[in-house]
Amino acid sequence: MSDRYAVIGNPVAHSRSPSIHARFAKQTGQDIEYGRLLAPLDGFVEAVERFRDAGGRGLNVTLPFKLEAFAWAARRSGRAQLAGAVNTLRFDRDGARGDNTDGAGLVRDLEDRLGLALAGRSVLILGAGGATRGVIGPLLEAGVARLTIANRTPSRAIELVDDFLRAAESRAPAGSALPGTPLPAGRLRGCGFDDAGGGHDLVVNATSAGLAGERLPIADALLAGAVLAYDMFYAARETAFVAQALAAGCPRACDGLGMLVEQAAESFLAWRGVRPLTAPVYEALRAEAA
Ligand code: NAP
């Protein structure tokens, strides 16, 4: 019988993860079956334990359960500790291990596929939700010189930065590549959209405004001055943020399909011990969407 995996969330019908993991399995010759698991909003733990007890080997976790998955996991990777959120569960004999692959996925997509070396860059992230939480540590580890988190509700960005700094001091794993903990003042800061400052090389949209196709209330100059605008949201058509960035004068903008494929490859590696090639899977999904 094939080893069973799934993505758990609510909603989950839209998830591209089954298609991605089916392609990874075929490419690497791994015998797995990967499905979707819709959990009731108040029934995450019960759904996970039922899946595990029926022989399931691992889960990807999506909205709105990443914090619950963090709390439930018996053991956690260093990057999950820093994020305070889990998007990958692996059911080992000695308990469930939680990991967070979102940040590694973003860094890999930016550096390997898009060719943007992050060391020394100034990065602005718009939004202070679960996705931002997962990418702060990996961006700093990649050598980003200045990381600004700007949010519609400024207090949430400030709280997120405070939480991260506390976690970095108390939970940063031994041997962590996170340089300079505690971080030098000003390297990481939270604020509102109006206080985002200027001179950012990369602007990342990590808000959920894209779901409704909404424009973000940020100055055109922020986008015009960047070398790349990156939308974590992805869609078959050009996303609202990609359109906004290009119209504002940003020379290059792309959506988050590459991050999705890369974070999935990190999960696959954690489960199966083999890293799939992501470029052909990215190309196939892009062609399928078109
Ligand atoms: P989340 O935890 O719900 O956070 C949502 C964030 O968006 C909050 O900061 C919220 O600000 C902000 N926001 C919502 N509507 C807004 C609007 N109209 N204008 C300005 N800000 C708005 O969501 P998440 O999990 O972080 O996900 C964020 C996005 O990243 C989603 O589009 C998701 O699909 C995407 N994502 C992609 C990948 C990938 O692999 N490509 C992985 C993870 C997430 P307030 O605090 O003011 O409410």
Side-chain angles (χ1 to χ4, degrees):
M1 204 170 91
S2 310
D3 290 340
R4 289 178 55 226
Y5 298 87
V7 53
I8 184 168
N10 186 334
V12 79
H14 65 286
S15 174
R16 310 282 300 269
S17 294
S19 159
I20 294 173
H21 283 282
R23 290 171 198 273
F24 287 164
K26 192 168 173 204
Q27 181 201 107
T28 58
Q30 295 283 313
D31 184 12
I32 73 162
E33 192 187 299
Y34 189 108
R36 292 185 178 86
L37 193 55
L38 176 69
L41 292 174
D42 59 353
F44 171 74
V45 167
E46 292 76 5
V48 169
E49 291 180 350
R50 215 175 304 122
F51 182 79
R52 178 201 59 192
D53 294 346
R57 300 289 298 273
L59 288 167
N60 279 134
V61 182
T62 187
L63 279 174
F65 298 127
K66 290 183 185 180
L67 299 187
E68 276 188 79
F70 177 83
W72 181 79
R75 290 173 299 118
R76 302 164 191 128
S77 67
R79 55 195 183 185
Q81 291 282 11
L82 280 176
V86 155
N87 78 338
T88 304
L89 289 166
R90 189 182 72 202
F91 304 129
D92 295 340
R93 285 215 173 81
D94 54 348
R97 181 177 189 273
D99 194 4
N100 191 312
T101 65
D102 280 340
L106 175 64
V107 168
R108 221 169 236 279
D109 195 39
L110 288 169
E111 294 206 312
D112 294 0
R113 191 177 65 85
L114 296 166
L116 184 80
L118 288 167
R121 299 283 190 177
S122 174
V123 177
L124 169 64
I125 302 185
L126 306 168
T132 298
R133 191 180 264 276
V135 303
I136 295 176
L139 285 172
L140 292 173
E141 286 190 334
V144 161
R146 196 158 59 101
L147 183 54
T148 306
I149 317 290
N151 195 42
R152 176 178 64 179
T153 311
S155 59
R156 289 215 182 111
I158 293 163
E159 269 165 41
L160 184 64
V161 166
D162 288 347
D163 281 357
F164 179 86
L165 293 174
R166 259 195 307 276
E169 276 172 38
S170 65
R171 300 175 185 160
S176 161
L178 189 66
T181 307
L183 297 172
R187 187 162 174 224
L188 175 65
R189 132 183 125 82
C191 60
F193 287 152
D194 292 342
D195 301 318
H200 303 292
D201 304 298
L202 169 68
V203 180
V204 178
N205 174 32
T207 73
S208 45
L211 286 170
E214 284 175 50
R215 244 185 95 81
L216 287 175
I218 55 165
D220 280 355
L222 274 180
L223 295 163
V227 294
L228 175 69
Y230 189 97
D231 192 355
M232 282 196 193
F233 184 63
Y234 49 88
R237 298 213 189 120
E238 186 178 70
T239 67
F241 180 71
V242 166
Q244 180 175 352
L246 294 174
C250 187
R252 196 176 179 204
C254 69
D255 73 13
L257 183 65
M259 173 180 173
L260 181 77
V261 174
E262 294 296 345
Q263 64 77 29
E266 284 281 321
S267 298
F268 194 88
L269 174 65
W271 290 329
R272 309 303 298 180
V274 49
R275 178 184 284 286
L277 295 175
T278 48
V281 175
Y282 172 85
E283 295 303 336
L285 289 179
R286 193 54 94 194
E288 203 175 83

